[in-house]
Amino acid sequence: MSSTAASSRDAPKDKTTSSSTKDQKPTLGGAQSIKTRKRNIQVKHDPEAFRDMLFEVFDELGSDLSDMKKVVQALDKEAFDYSRYGEVFAECMIAGNMVEPGGSLRGGKALSICVFQAANQEALAMSIEILHQMMRRKPFLRARFDTVVSKLQLFLSSYTTTARDNFAKA
């Protein structure tokens, strides 16, 4: 009797008798995925990259900016984050580049279709029309535009007379 009792204790139990407990699946020890919520994702603030993308679009379009619909569609891509970089867009369209503290322009390259660089009335009207169309598509750009205009008014004395005249006409 003792041999049968010992063998019944050592024998493996049927899975039918222990159906209330579930077997756990093996997992890797160090490979746990950490989920972040979308609202907690931080995107690096990079206005230079936005400015470079803006320059690339205008370089691709070339000097033929007569088709306003084509220009505005090129500027209204998902890649452009106007809610974050609206002031950079306004600075580039008015002054030609990002404006440093003190009124100087960042970098040596200036956008050819900006208000300050406009050579004649047609070029000035084209740059104003681009700004107007973008502000109609994205109404929140109006507040950023007003901020940039007030900032540029502080530094008018540091710009050339043609830039000041074009700024006054715009």
Side-chain angles (χ1 to χ4, degrees):
M1 187 172 193
S2 67
S3 66
T4 58
S7 65
S8 65
R9 275 188 288 168
D10 294 337
K13 294 183 179 180
D14 278 338
K15 290 191 178 191
T16 58
T17 59
S18 64
S19 64
S20 63
T21 61
K22 292 186 178 181
D23 295 337
Q24 292 184 358
K25 294 182 181 179
T27 60
L28 296 175
Q32 295 177 351
S33 63
I34 300 172
K35 295 181 181 180
T36 59
R37 293 185 177 190
K38 286 186 179 181
R39 67 174 182 218
N40 294 339
I41 296 173
Q42 297 292 325
V43 178
K44 182 181 172 188
H45 186 71
D46 193 11
E48 287 85 12
F50 179 85
R51 178 202 56 196
D52 293 341
M53 285 190 326
L54 192 64
F55 280 3
E56 287 174 13
V57 166
F58 280 108
D59 287 343
E60 289 173 9
L61 292 172
S63 61
D64 182 34
L65 298 173
S66 60
D67 188 13
M68 183 60 62
K69 186 175 182 181
K70 179 181 170 186
V71 173
V72 173
Q73 283 178 349
L75 291 174
D76 197 18
K77 294 180 182 175
E78 290 291 323
F80 290 113
D81 188 8
Y82 290 108
S83 61
R84 176 172 278 176
Y85 302 115
E87 289 183 14
V88 176
F89 173 72
E91 287 175 356
C92 289
M93 290 303 296
I94 295 173
N97 207 333
M98 293 170 38
V99 179
E100 295 279 335
S104 62
L105 298 180
R106 185 180 295 181
K109 185 179 176 184
L111 196 61
S112 61
I113 190 66
C114 70
V115 171
F116 284 3
Q117 300 290 326
N120 53 22
Q121 282 297 113
E122 292 81 28
L124 181 62
M126 180 64 65
S127 60
I128 293 170
E129 185 64 23
I130 291 171
L131 272 169
H132 179 69
Q133 291 294 326
M134 288 305 295
M135 282 190 270
R136 286 184 67 195
R137 285 188 179 217
K138 304 198 181 293
F140 56 87
L141 283 177
R142 172 67 68 187
R144 277 119 175 134
F145 175 75
D146 292 342
T147 304
V148 170
V149 167
S150 64
K151 181 168 118 176
L152 291 174
Q153 285 176 342
L154 296 173
F155 308 119
L156 277 178
S157 61
S158 65
Y159 301 122
T160 63
T161 56
T162 56
R164 283 184 280 193
D165 290 342
N166 288 344
F167 188 63
K169 290 175 187 175

